[in-house]
Amino acid sequence: MYSQLRPTGASLVTSDVCRLAATVALRAIWRGTHRGTGRSLRQRGLAFLRVENGRLAERWSAYSDLDS
């Protein structure tokens, strides 16, 4: 679904961020426009990111639509 969001219309608002060693957990709301349909999207989700040598090494995420 992320690849369907237009970069110019996408935004991310984080509500909680927590870091433990090389892993960051965040809770956020994503907003954007679907490339195929042009409809606005709002999704709430969680993401866990692991950083290694200053680069993103792994990402896990789960989200749900808020406007369905």
Side-chain angles (χ1 to χ4, degrees), residues 6-58:
R6 288 188 182 139
T8 56
S11 67
L12 172 71
V13 177
T14 57
S15 56
D16 294 303
V17 178
C18 181
R19 179 178 155 257
L20 179 62
T23 302
V24 176
L26 62 95
R27 187 172 62 155
I29 294 178
W30 291 265
R31 292 186 170 113
T33 304
H34 191 280
R35 286 183 183 174
T37 64
R39 90 178 162 101
S40 294
L41 297 173
R42 268 188 341 142
Q43 297 175 326
R44 172 181 49 210
L46 300 169
F48 296 89
L49 312 170
R50 187 174 64 81
V51 178
E52 189 175 287
N53 297 322
R55 299 184 70 181
L56 182 61
E58 292 181 81

Side-chain angles (χ1 to χ4, degrees), residues 12 62-63 65:
L12 172 71
Y63 55 88
D65 288 338

